[in-house]
Amino acid sequence: MDRYAPDQGKVGYLIFIPDTGVSRYDISLSQKDPATVHVHVWCSRTPLSSADPRYLAEFEQFFTAQGPEWRDAITGMLAHAAAQPH
């Protein structure tokens, strides 16, 4: 994790995959009104020179398909956090 700023609704992390590349994820949350939270998940990948050339193309399809999974996971975490006593 290279960024952790919960007060700003931001977190970021890097993942190194040996013989493949590096992935960077940035997640930001912003509250438009009491009932609406906007979530932005951004990812970039940098392949190593030895990586399979299909690495980026396959990841793009994979990451795009994960949208519902990201939505459900973040919605669940927000609901859990809202249910906790403050």
Side-chain angles (χ1 to χ4, degrees):
M1 183 171 285
D2 69 330
R3 182 175 191 182
Y4 182 71
D7 56 321
Q8 297 173 17
K10 298 180 189 277
V11 66
Y13 60 96
L14 298 163
I15 298 173
F16 172 70
I17 304 167
D19 301 320
T20 303
V22 176
S23 298
R24 176 178 179 79
Y25 288 84
D26 285 298
I27 303 166
S28 63
L29 287 74
S30 59
Q31 194 156 10
K32 302 296 182 189
D33 58 62
T36 306
V37 175
H38 177 79
V39 178
H40 180 81
V41 179
W42 180 81
C43 180
S44 65
R45 282 211 159 168
T46 304
L48 298 175
S49 60
S50 59
D52 185 326
R54 295 173 296 179
Y55 171 68
L56 289 177
E58 289 173 359
F59 176 75
E60 183 177 340
Q61 292 173 356
F62 172 75
F63 184 71
T64 301
Q66 283 186 314
E69 185 176 337
W70 278 97
R71 182 198 61 230
D72 294 347
I74 292 170
T75 299
M77 301 240 351
L78 291 172
H80 178 75
Q84 298 301 310
H86 295 283

